[in-house]
Amino acid sequence: MAIELNVLFKALTKDDKKEVLKFEIKGEEDNQAEADLFDLSGSIVVFSLKAGGDDVVQNMNAEFVSMQRDSKKTVLKFAVNGDPDKAQALYRVAGRNVYLSVAPSQMSIDDFREPREGVEYKVGPDGTAELQKDKNQLTIDEVAAAADDPMHDVDDPEPF
C-alpha cells in the first residue's frame, strides 16, 4: 500500500551520518494521502522518487522523522542513512517537483539506526572493486599454500 504524491523536493542536507530530505506538499492536494502519511510518521518507510518520468531512487529505507502542516503547505522530513551513491542521485533533483511514493517498512527503528559492518572497498573508474588492506585478511595464495601443507592445521609440529 504505497502512498503516491506529487511534491516539491525542497531541500537535502547532510548530517553526521545521514541525509535529511525535506518535501513540501502545497495546499490541500490530497487529504486522504496526507492522513495516511500522518499514520506513518515516526516510523521506518520505503520510498521511491521519480522526476520527469525517470526513476531517481527506488525502494530506499528512511526514517520518516516528522510531518508539519500549516495553512499553506505540509512539510515531510525523512532521514536516510548511508548509501552515498543514492544520495548523489538525490542531489540532482533537489529543488524540483517529483513523484514521491512512500510505503511502510518491516524494518524497526533500532535496525535502521544500527551501524552495519562490512568490508571496506573502493570502486575504480572501470567498475572494479578494490578491497582495503586488512592485516588479518588472507590472500588466496596463502590459503592455497596452507592447503598444500599437510601440517597446516597442527599447532605444535613436535608434540613429544
Side-chain angles (χ1 to χ4, degrees):
M1 149 195 131
I3 302 163
E4 295 185 10
L5 293 166
N6 183 7
V7 297
L8 172 65
F9 189 175
K10 186 68 174 176
L12 173 63
T13 56
K14 186 170 176 88
D15 200 347
D16 292 336
K17 295 181 181 179
K18 62 186 177 211
E19 310 278 338
V20 178
L21 313 171
K22 289 184 187 179
F23 299 97
E24 282 186 5
I25 303 171
K26 298 285 186 179
E28 297 181 14
E29 286 187 17
D30 190 349
N31 286 332
Q32 182 57 44
E34 286 188 37
D36 293 341
L37 278 174
F38 185 75
D39 292 339
L40 293 175
S41 184
S43 65
I44 303 300
V45 296
V46 177
F47 77 93
S48 300
L49 280 181
K50 286 186 178 186
D54 297 328
D55 289 329
V56 178
V57 293
Q58 289 185 334
N59 301 328
M60 189 170 194
N61 287 319
E63 179 182 359
F64 191 171
V65 177
S66 67
M67 181 174 175
Q68 299 170 337
R69 181 183 293 177
D70 64 21
S71 62
K72 296 181 182 180
K73 65 186 177 296
T74 302
V75 178
L76 310 172
K77 274 189 190 177
F78 296 91
V80 179
N81 283 347
D83 208 345
D85 293 334
K86 287 187 178 180
Q88 288 296 325
L90 293 172
Y91 277 106
R92 292 193 305 262
V93 295
R96 296 173 46 190
N97 279 343
V98 295
Y99 286 97
L100 174 68
S101 175
V102 181
S105 174
Q106 294 181 357
M107 184 182 285
S108 72
I109 289 181
D110 293 333
D111 291 338
F112 180 75
R113 291 183 180 164
E114 181 178 291
R116 294 189 175 104
E117 293 183 25
V119 177
E120 296 283 331
Y121 67 94
K122 290 183 182 178
V123 178
D126 61 348
T128 58
E130 183 178 319
L131 295 176
Q132 301 294 325
K133 229 15 182 168
D134 182 2
K135 63 182 178 204
N136 297 324
Q137 182 72 37
L138 293 176
T139 65
I140 291 176
D141 295 333
E142 292 169 335
V143 172
D148 291 340
D149 181 9
M151 299 294 286
H152 77 280
D153 60 348
V154 177
D155 292 336
D156 189 7
E158 296 181 31
F160 301 104

